Amino acid sequence: MNLIGDSLSPMDAEGASEILARLRDVLRDSAVEEHDWDAVVGETPIESLGFDSLTILDVLYDVEEEFGIALDPKQVVKTRTVGEIIALLEQNGA
Amino acid sequence: MLHFLEYWAARLALLGVDLLPPAAASRWAAVLGSLWWTADRPRRRVAISNILRAGVAGDRRQARAIGRGAARHMGMVLVESMKSSLVLDDPERLRVDIPDDVAAALEDPDRGLIVVSGHFGNWEIAGQWLSRYKPVAGISRPMNNPRVQELALSRRQRRGFRMIPKYDADPGRFLKLLGEGEILALLVDQHARRGIDVPFFGHLARTHTTAAMLHLVARTPLTFLLCRRTAPMTFELRLSPLIAQQRSGDRNADVEAILMTLNAHLEAAIRRDPDQYLWGHRRWR
């Protein structure tokens, strides 16, 4: 089961896994719908978690607070999967 | 039947607008607004109920007077919007008060700005005035009467002002235009199907969060704007100093604080001129 792609080194994969765990918590707290959050992986579409173009702004706020970083909102609203958010977080030093 | 009557009332209003000088056209539209108040019983009941609930009228008789005045006002808004160049090109007809921090944001071509208002005074004139600085995008809910909507759109002057239909409003689009230094103009006093409950005249009203969230996540400056009529075809346009909400880590608290500030600005204006507000919308549901 991949988080964000096939080419991660073990260390990268460990980092991504930790980010995924924290991201799951954020998504769980931000969500307006019930979901099996333990089943969320990199390939999971954000839309399938009940987030749409409006509520993604809520997620963005909560993610920034959790990871203590500022993301480019224009990039965040373009993300389609959880893995893409993770990649964005990694690019920004999470 | 009501749509048919509204459409012909609008056509009649436009005929008067075209034939009469501006001040007379404005009075003509006010008379038609008053007639509309008499004819549209359901909306009249909503307006009276809202005025009483807001506490801006002491009794039902006073509420009716305010409601009729507001209906006259809406007729005038329609005419003024179509004759806006007379106002926009004449400093005697449009007195503007801009705080320095807002002026700096308006004059910086690379800096986006979120401008919030309500259905108070003449928000159309305000939007058109803003577009003198940089392109403005506003979100509109289509009118209930599609024939009147079509008629109004065919007559409005737009300059650098464009409307985004409410059902096509995508934050990605907003972020893009704000990133390009444009203005996003939002009216925040309509019932939001999805939003948060914020006090409006002391009663919780479901309120759109988009303006607040965009300010918080895009870190775009935010201001409140009012365009109050002081005489026929004459206005006072005021912008609040930039509203800067520091992030606390509690998203809902931050959004609520911003929306309460915006509502407080709008409430103060309405209390001063209750007959310049659109009362016929079911704000509290």
Side-chain angles (χ1 to χ4, degrees), chain A residues 13-82:
Chain A
E14 194 181 320
S17 174
E18 190 201 321
I19 291 173
L20 174 63
R22 290 169 71 187
L23 188 56
R24 275 191 193 128
D25 289 341
V26 173
L27 294 173
R28 184 186 290 118
D29 293 343
S30 307
V32 287
E33 289 178 11
E34 287 299 316
H35 196 84
D36 178 7
W37 298 102
D38 293 332
V40 170
V41 292
E43 293 85 353
T44 305
I46 295 162
E47 227 176 62
S48 72
L49 302 174
F51 298 109
D52 59 17
S53 60
L54 277 175
T55 47
I56 197 71
L57 296 180
D58 298 349
V59 174
L60 171 56
Y61 178 106
D62 295 342
V63 166
E64 286 185 337
E65 291 300 321
E66 166 65 22
F67 291 91
I69 56 175
L71 297 172
D72 178 353
K74 278 185 293 198
Q75 288 189 314
V76 175
V77 296
K78 280 185 198 159
T79 55
R80 293 290 170 263
T81 65
V82 169

Side-chain angles (χ1 to χ4, degrees), chain B residues 250-269:
Chain B
D250 182 337
R251 168 167 46 86
N252 283 334
D254 292 349
V255 170
E256 190 177 347
I258 293 169
L259 297 181
M260 285 176 72
T261 302
L262 296 171
N263 275 358
H265 281 294
L266 181 58
E267 275 187 40

Side-chain angles (χ1 to χ4, degrees), chain B residues 118-139:
Chain B
H119 291 83
F120 175 86
N122 194 321
W123 58 94
E124 289 270 350
I125 296 262
Q128 291 181 30
W129 173 81
L130 279 172
S131 68
R132 297 190 146 191
Y133 286 87
K134 42 178 85 183
V136 180
I139 301 174

Side-chain angles (χ1 to χ4, degrees), chain B residues 260-280:
Chain B
M260 285 176 72
T261 302
L262 296 171
N263 275 358
H265 281 294
L266 181 58
E267 275 187 40
I270 296 170
R271 283 185 198 285
R272 176 174 173 170
D273 295 290
D275 56 357
Q276 290 195 32
Y277 188 59
L278 180 70
W279 289 106

Side-chain angles (χ1 to χ4, degrees), chain B residues 189-259:
Chain B
D189 58 342
Q190 290 205 307
H191 175 77
R193 261 188 318 117
R194 294 160 55 188
I196 67 167
D197 290 329
V198 181
F200 186 55
F201 285 102
H203 305 280
L204 292 179
R206 186 63 55 88
T207 307
H208 289 286
T209 59
T210 307
M213 282 309 301
L214 286 170
H215 170 63
L216 290 168
V217 302
R219 295 156 179 92
T220 308
L222 169 69
T223 181
F224 187 85
L225 178 151
L226 282 170
C227 183
R228 169 180 169 262
R229 184 186 301 104
T230 52
M233 299 296 283
T234 307
F235 298 90
E236 175 188 75
L237 194 150
R238 277 177 186 274
L239 289 128
S240 76
L242 292 179
I243 297 162
Q245 176 66 36
Q246 298 302 314
R247 283 168 58 146
S248 67
D250 182 337
R251 168 167 46 86
N252 283 334
D254 292 349
V255 170
E256 190 177 347
I258 293 169
L259 297 181

